[in-house]
Each structure stands twice: as structure tokens, then as C-alpha cells.
Amino acid sequence: MPKINVNVKWSGKKFDNIELDTDESPELFKTQIYSQTGVPPERQKIMVKGGILKDTTDLNQLGLKDGHTFMMMGTAGELPKPPPKPVQFLEDMTEAEVMEALDIPPGLENLGNTCYMNATLQCLRVMPELQQSLEKYQGGLSGVDNRGNLVASLRDLFTNLSKASDGFPPLVFWQMLRQAFPQFSQTGQGGIPMQQDAEECWSEIISVLRAKLPKQEEDKNFIERYMTGELKTVTKCAESSEEEETVSTDAFNKLSCHISINTNYMISGIMESMTEEIEKHSPTLNRTAKYQRKSLVSRLPQYLPVQFIRFFWKPQEQVRAKILRKVKFPLEFDATELCTPELQNKLSKAKLKMKEVEDKKIQKQREEKRRKLDGEDGSSSMDVSTEEEKIDWKEYLDPDLVKDVGCNPTGQYELCAVLTHVGRSADSGHYIAWVKKDTNEWYKFDDDKVSVLQDGEIERLDGGGDWHTAYIVLYRAKKLE
């Protein structure tokens, strides 16, 4: 059934022309209402024939027509307590003062189903080295090189975002993206741009940056240094022990996490994708035979994207359907299990030292908490654990990895961005970016609406239902303190 526009009446107010896709779940519709009214989905009571709209209701069975008006009950939340001191109200501030006071960066305006592009750009912007590399790009927007124009427009967009105080319209970049990759120019009924796949947008942008960003030391650019890893692949014939195995080394810009009925954790999905069985001609047997290909990481980049393979083609429905299975991903990721024995050996010493440092931090936090509970004055304590340990990491890092600028010399990562999708197919739904702010806070970039959340909200993005589900996660190498 086509999308329709409906209205919602709530608390004496009317919200018109809310888009409702009857092929999607009611939870997605409730999320849209939440963005308009501030009433969380779990508090919404939407009246329909037969009672209250449930998350399991099939919207196609309600016989809804364009212009239908829903009645809704629900509260937006508890009223805040009066402030203890006089404050300056946000409405009395300028836009720049509001953004500065709340420490919230600008979002990107949706130009018509461009959330896939906006979410991708906000995730890529978390890498300061990329922005520094873009600033060195000398190309302009007047040339006939469409891909060069795309890089120049990305440079200018990031520059404008650093100065903006409110939602910014990425018009020039969108135009350059469609010129470089015409598939993003597809339109639907009424000439409205069609929803696109954020992973495809991500991959196309990375491919252009890899080809166009200026080279630095050893004739490599940002993508080649900081976002490119290496896989060592061993291919062995399963039907002939006499046939010699073959070894190859290939570059990668992201890892894949396959999702099967047994996949519960990201690491297992990645390992499954790195082992596969193929059939090809065997020179030893002189016939088609089965081979096993197993890959291990021989170089870890500083920035490691992981794509969850959530979409698959359903030929009967002619749609790229979505796997909703819950797959947990960690806020901190030890990637050494994915590596070759040689690389594991190089990473081991620094890995153990980092764990020792982390354990000491946890112990210190526990001691400080205990002292507060016991009413002790921490400032008078002579506990030597309060002194910061200065570590000479040269003693623990492998010399070869130190020379390899842009690699991860410890194998330890922290999550810095998540690109999510909500909806049942790749051709519909909505994309959002979640970007790390500091120790336990995150920015949620829902196009031009930006808010601050806690770690707990990020852990809810692992799937298992119709809520926002991680599609691409971006890890960065942990800093050495």
C-alpha cells in the first residue's frame, strides 16, 4: 500500500501531514509522532478501530485513507523542578548561544529522503585526521572531474559545519554526490528522491577519498593509512591433501558481520564471514572441487568500520528485506582474536599493559567510591594509587607497528560512531548517526535534530525488534595515556 499523510490530535493540538507507511510497523509511526510531540512511544495511546494501536497491528488492515486523523493520549514526561538559581532561558539566547550553552554540534537538514547521506557524513566527521586531510585538498568545484568535485564539496561542507550554529543544508554535496554516482538521483512518485542504502553511500564516498585525497609519507593518503587493513587469506582444497594451499594478501576498508540463526555477538559474525567454502577447478584432481578459504587480519587500521549484513533480497516480494536479529556489539572491542598469529604476537605486550592500566583505573574508582561512602576525605589520604603512572609505551609497542603510521599497535578499540536503520527494508525506513561525545555521552544526529544521550542508549541499538538497529559501527584505536 502506498504511503499516506495522516494527522494526529493530542493535548488540544493537531499535527498535520505526518507520513505513514502502512507496510512498516506501528513502532516506526510512533517514533515519528515522538519527534513531533515529545511523547515517548511507550506512553502513546493511539485510538483505532477496536481499541488502542499495538506494535503488532498490521496497518494495512485498518483501512486508512489519506488525511485520516488519529486521536492520541499520553504525557511527554514529568514537569521539571524550579531551578534553584535564576537562569537565562534558551528562548532569550541567540542560536549560537544555545548551541554553545548546550555544547551541541549542528545537524544536517533532510533534503528529501537524504537521511542515509546525513547519517553517513556525521559518522565520517568523527575522524579529525580525515578533516585535516580534506583541508589539504586543493581542488575546486569548477572542474569536469565529478569525483574531485565530490571531495571538494565534502571539504567545504565540513568547514561550514564547524562554523554553523544550527541545522545546515548539504545542498552542494548532495548535488556532487548525484553527479558522481547517478544511482542516488533516483526519484519516486511526484519526483521525490528515493531512499537509498547508507552502506552504499559510505562505500562510494570512501572509494572516492581513497583515490583523490592527497598523498603523504610513503605515498599514502588518509584512507590508505588510517582506514585500510590487510587480510591474509589461505585457500586449501578440502578434497586433496596433496594440493598445495595458496596464500594471498588483500586490503579492506571495513569488516563484515554475517548474521545467521546462531549469531549473537559481533565477533562471531565477523569470524563467520572470514571463513567460507567455495567450489572451483582443481588442477590436482582435474575437476571441480570444494575449497575452504580462511582469512585473518594481518594489519589493523586505526579506524575500523564493521558492517552488519542485515539486508537480503526476497525475490517473491522484490524487496531487500531486513534481518532483525539481536546481535550485540561492544563499546570496547579487542580485535586480536581476528588476527594472524604473527600479528597477535606483536600486539600481545601492549595489550597486556593496557589491561593492567585499565584494571588500576577501575580499582582506583572503587577505592574513591568506598572512601566517599565511609565519609573519608580523599584529599588527606596518602594513598599512592592517586598518583598518575607515567608509561613509556616504547617499551611495550612493537617497533614495526610504531613505524606503521595509521595502524592500531595494540589491537584495542573503542566505539566512536554508530549508523542505524529503523524499518523493515533497505528502500524505506530512516537512518540516524550516533557519535561519541566523551566518556559516556553520545550525540544523536537525527538529520537536523541533535540531542545528547548516554552509553545505555547505544547498547539498545543491537537489534531484535523495530527500534533503531546498528548497520555500520565505527571503532577507533584506544589512545595510549
Side-chain angles (χ1 to χ4, degrees):
M1 185 175 177
K3 298 176 181 178
I4 59 175
N5 290 325
V6 298
N7 311 314
V8 174
K9 283 188 176 181
W10 169 75
S11 189
K13 301 176 184 177
K14 186 178 180 184
F15 301 86
D16 297 324
N17 297 322
I18 299 177
E19 186 178 81
L20 172 61
D21 187 342
T22 56
D23 291 331
E24 294 286 355
S25 71
E27 191 164 359
L28 176 59
F29 179 48
K30 290 181 178 181
T31 301
Q32 293 173 268
I33 296 176
Y34 176 37
S35 66
Q36 296 274 342
T37 65
V39 180
E42 63 272 14
R43 295 185 184 178
Q44 295 175 16
K45 293 183 179 180
I46 302 172
M47 305 302 149
V48 296
K49 292 180 180 178
I52 297 175
L53 181 66
K54 299 179 180 179
D55 291 343
T56 56
T57 301
D58 184 351
L59 295 173
N60 283 311
Q61 301 298 318
L62 298 179
L64 301 174
K65 295 182 180 180
D66 201 60
H68 179 84
T69 298
F70 288 99
M71 300 296 293
M72 187 186 79
M73 295 185 295
T75 56
E78 296 180 1
L79 292 174
K81 296 180 180 180
K85 298 179 181 179
V87 296
Q88 182 181 6
F89 292 103
L90 291 178
E91 54 266 29
D92 296 329
M93 299 182 183
T94 65
E95 290 183 354
E97 288 174 336
V98 170
M99 300 301 287
E100 182 179 356
L102 300 180
D103 190 25
I104 294 179
L108 292 167
E109 293 181 12
N110 194 314
L111 306 176
N113 282 328
T114 58
C115 58
Y116 70 93
M117 179 187 76
N118 291 347
T120 298
L121 293 173
Q122 294 289 11
C123 287
L124 294 178
R125 193 166 174 252
V126 77
M127 298 178 282
E129 298 90 348
L130 172 58
Q131 297 188 52
Q132 293 165 10
S133 182
L134 284 168
E135 290 171 0
K136 297 177 183 178
Y137 182 72
Q138 299 297 319
L141 293 169
S142 58
V144 295
D145 180 3
N146 287 337
R147 298 193 172 202
N149 292 341
L150 183 66
V151 177
S153 65
L154 181 60
R155 174 200 62 204
D156 296 345
L157 174 61
F158 281 176
T159 299
N160 288 326
L161 278 175
S162 65
K163 302 174 183 177
S165 59
D166 202 354
F168 187 84
L171 287 165
V172 177
F173 180 83
W174 188 41
Q175 180 182 354
M176 296 301 108
L177 179 68
R178 289 180 295 170
Q179 288 182 5
F181 302 103
Q183 67 266 34
F184 298 118
S185 297
Q186 295 175 319
T187 57
Q189 295 180 352
I192 299 175
M194 294 178 63
Q195 179 69 285
Q196 301 292 336
D197 188 342
E199 187 279 327
E200 183 179 2
C201 179
W202 178 295
S203 296
E204 297 290 24
I205 292 174
I206 293 299
S207 70
V208 170
L209 294 175
R210 183 173 58 243
K212 293 295 183 179
L213 283 178
K215 304 284 185 178
Q216 297 173 345
E217 297 86 356
E218 298 181 11
D219 202 33
K220 291 184 178 180
N221 61 23
F222 166 80
I223 299 297
E224 293 165 328
R225 279 191 173 280
Y226 290 88
M227 291 194 73
T228 300
E230 290 181 355
L231 285 176
K232 180 180 179 181
T233 303
V234 177
T235 305
K236 186 176 182 179
C237 182
E239 300 181 39
S240 173
S241 58
E242 298 177 0
E243 187 169 324
E244 188 176 351
E245 63 185 23
T246 59
V247 181
S248 62
T249 301
D250 302 293
F252 70 86
N253 292 120
K254 68 174 182 297
L255 294 177
S256 298
C257 175
H258 285 186
I259 303 175
S260 66
I261 59 173
N262 298 317
T263 308
N264 296 315
Y265 298 94
M266 183 186 75
I267 184 71
S268 59
I270 296 175
M271 296 183 73
E272 181 181 339
S273 70
M274 294 169 66
T275 302
E276 59 178 336
E277 289 187 355
I278 61 172
E279 289 188 352
K280 67 173 186 172
H281 180 78
S282 167
T284 303
L285 301 175
N286 196 27
R287 62 174 174 82
T288 300
K290 293 182 179 180
Y291 285 77
Q292 184 183 61
R293 296 180 61 183
K294 185 171 183 179
S295 300
L296 290 172
V297 177
S298 54
R299 182 189 192 264
L300 284 169
Q302 182 162 330
Y303 291 98
L304 178 65
V306 179
Q307 177 197 357
F308 291 83
I309 310 300
R310 288 201 171 272
F311 296 112
F312 66 100
W313 180 251
K314 296 183 75 172
Q316 292 184 345
E317 292 84 353
Q318 292 290 296
V319 67
R320 287 182 63 208
K322 184 176 177 182
I323 301 172
L324 299 176
R325 182 178 179 83
K326 180 187 289 288
V327 180
K328 291 189 174 296
F329 56 91
L331 297 178
E332 296 185 350
F333 177 42
D334 179 1
T336 55
E337 190 175 352
L338 305 174
C339 300
T340 62
E342 295 81 7
L343 182 54
Q344 285 186 3
N345 185 54
K346 290 183 177 181
L347 298 170
S348 60
K349 198 172 181 180
K351 172 185 172 180
L352 289 173
K353 186 60 180 177
M354 288 194 76
K355 186 177 186 308
E356 179 186 326
V357 172
E358 290 293 327
D359 289 345
K360 286 184 177 180
K361 277 187 178 180
I362 294 173
Q363 181 62 29
K364 180 181 176 181
Q365 290 170 355
R366 287 175 179 170
E367 290 176 358
E368 290 177 348
K369 185 177 182 180
R370 179 190 59 78
R371 282 197 294 268
K372 289 180 180 179
L373 291 173
D374 293 343
E376 296 180 18
D377 183 2
S379 61
S380 63
S381 174
M382 299 301 291
D383 191 344
V384 293
S385 64
T386 59
E387 297 181 3
E388 294 294 333
E389 179 185 4
K390 293 183 179 180
I391 303 171
D392 183 3
W393 284 102
K394 292 181 181 178
E395 298 180 14
Y396 303 97
L397 296 176
D398 183 271
D400 292 336
L401 299 182
V402 172
K403 294 177 184 177
D404 186 0
V405 178
C407 81
N408 183 345
T410 67
Q412 308 305 300
Y413 288 94
E414 64 176 355
L415 190 65
C416 62
V418 182
L419 191 155
T420 63
H421 177 267
V422 60
R424 290 296 181 111
S425 74
D427 302 322
S428 62
H430 185 52
Y431 290 99
I432 285 178
W434 316 67
V435 176
K436 183 93 173 196
K437 180 190 176 191
D438 51 32
T439 306
N440 59 358
E441 288 189 328
W442 292 71
Y443 292 119
K444 176 185 176 183
F445 291 96
D446 185 354
D447 289 325
D448 58 345
K449 296 184 287 292
V450 186
S451 53
V452 179
L453 303 170
Q454 303 295 314
D455 278 344
E457 295 295 323
I458 305 303
E459 294 172 344
R460 291 182 57 209
L461 306 176
D462 54 3
D466 288 318
W467 184 240
H468 303 281
T469 304
Y471 186 27
I472 300 175
V473 292
L474 179 62
Y475 288 92
R476 65 184 169 208
K478 277 190 174 182
K479 293 182 179 180
L480 299 175
E481 299 178 359

